[in-house]
Amino acid sequence: MKIGVFDSGVGGLSVLKALYEARLFEEVVYYGDTARVPYGVKDKDTIIKFCLEALEFFKNIKIDMLIIACNTASAYALDILRSKANFPIYGVIDAGVEATKREILDKNKEILVIATKATIKSKEYELRLKKEGFKNVKALATGLFVPMVEEEIFEGEFLQSAFNYYFKGLQSPDALILACTHFPLLAKSLSEYFGAKTKLIHSGDAIVNFLKTHSQLKSLKTKAKLEFYASSDVQSLKNTAKIWLDLHTKDIQ
């Protein structure tokens, strides 16, 4: 099976990493809209427009399934993308909500969703989690984390200052939903900041479990062949992929 993975930039590589290591597919094509990242500060119509353009790219390379790794794109464009595609499309929000239900059994536990401004504005996580019975759900826009990850700032004083800016006065939640594909790259630092009490939930692990459950996919013996495309500077994307996924040059195209 050949699938596509779409993200607004390099952040979706955190989802790709989980999919790659799960060995669910023979071929994976990743497309990052690096020329127009981030999506999280853009309006709904612009986000949908960019996503539809990405869909045309994937239609031309004949994939069997598309994963929308970007939470912002999943929040605003998933339904319209599905209406215009002849292959299944999955977004990471459905997977994230399902993962939260699986990991947090007590519906009274405190859940904090962190994401881009646009994802938070959509209220998709809050509405879906409350519909599932969760009573203490808070959401916080932490958009500065996106450019930090793009600049490969994963720890250190600058990041801690951002943590203090966003999280000052907050108690450690029982669950922290990393509702942006960039944020798993900050997982180690976030865990250290909030402590062992806080369970981190992110899109990569969530989508793997979601696909295994709903698409009845099983692990293959060999890892997928990877292809990378970008709207700007594809070589930089490939270089980042080699580091984040621990790849050799022969592993990617």
Side-chain angles (χ1 to χ4, degrees):
M1 179 180 286
K2 181 177 183 178
I3 72 158
V5 176
F6 169 60
D7 189 71
S8 60
V10 304
L13 293 173
S14 64
V15 171
L16 177 61
K17 180 178 176 66
L19 291 168
Y20 182 68
E21 292 177 348
R23 303 188 182 195
L24 299 178
F25 309 102
E26 287 88 1
E27 298 180 63
V28 180
V29 178
Y30 183 97
Y31 174 70
D33 193 4
T34 49
R36 301 184 289 199
V37 68
Y39 281 10
V41 296
K42 295 176 173 62
D43 64 89
K44 178 180 178 179
D45 291 341
T46 300
I47 293 165
I48 291 173
K49 176 178 179 290
F50 290 170
C51 290
L52 288 172
E53 291 173 0
L55 180 61
E56 291 304 310
F57 166 82
F58 283 108
K59 284 181 177 179
N60 290 331
I61 58 175
K62 298 180 180 179
I63 58 173
D64 301 299
M65 178 189 297
L66 179 60
I67 306 298
I68 306 299
C70 176
N71 283 265
T72 301
S74 295
Y76 289 103
L78 187 59
D79 288 341
I80 192 169
L81 291 174
R82 284 173 170 167
S83 72
K84 295 183 178 298
N86 59 358
F87 43 77
I89 302 179
Y90 296 99
V92 288
I93 295 179
D94 290 335
V97 170
E98 189 169 288
T100 305
K101 288 169 56 182
R102 183 174 58 253
E103 297 289 344
I104 309 298
L105 301 180
D106 184 350
K107 298 296 177 68
N108 292 305
K109 293 289 188 180
E110 294 185 357
I111 298 171
L112 176 62
V113 182
I114 59 173
T116 64
K117 185 181 295 184
T119 299
I120 297 301
K121 186 178 179 180
S122 77
K123 296 185 179 296
E124 285 291 315
Y125 275 98
E126 291 170 276
L127 293 173
R128 295 192 197 191
L129 288 168
K130 288 178 179 178
K131 187 176 181 180
E132 295 295 338
F134 290 97
K135 297 177 177 62
N136 297 305
V137 181
K138 296 180 181 179
L140 182 64
T142 56
L144 285 175
F145 294 165
V146 175
M148 287 184 177
V149 170
E150 293 278 338
E151 293 292 330
E152 300 185 6
I153 299 171
F154 307 134
E155 57 186 355
E157 184 178 347
F158 189 28
L159 183 60
Q160 289 301 312
S161 295
F163 286 174
N164 292 334
Y165 172 74
Y166 284 124
F167 303 137
K168 184 178 180 180
L170 285 179
Q171 298 293 323
S172 295
D174 296 293
L176 180 66
I177 300 179
L178 309 182
C180 174
T181 53
H182 289 72
F183 296 176
L185 279 298
L186 306 177
K188 181 176 180 292
S189 293
L190 286 166
S191 291
E192 291 173 352
Y193 185 88
F194 283 111
K197 171 192 173 183
T198 302
K199 173 71 177 180
L200 268 57
I201 297 172
H202 72 78
S203 303
D205 293 338
I207 198 68
V208 167
N209 287 316
F210 187 88
L211 292 174
K212 286 181 176 178
T213 300
H214 295 278
S215 297
Q216 299 179 331
L217 296 170
K218 296 181 180 180
S219 296
L220 305 174
K221 292 183 179 180
T222 58
K223 290 185 177 180
K225 181 178 75 172
L226 301 175
E227 295 182 46
F228 292 93
Y229 298 88
S231 54
S232 175
D233 196 1
V234 68
Q235 189 56 52
S236 178
L237 174 65
K238 289 181 178 180
N239 292 340
T240 303
K242 283 193 287 187
I243 296 170
W244 289 9
L245 277 69
D246 191 24
L247 300 173
H248 299 288
T249 302
K250 64 180 179 61
D251 294 322
I252 66 176
Q253 296 187 19

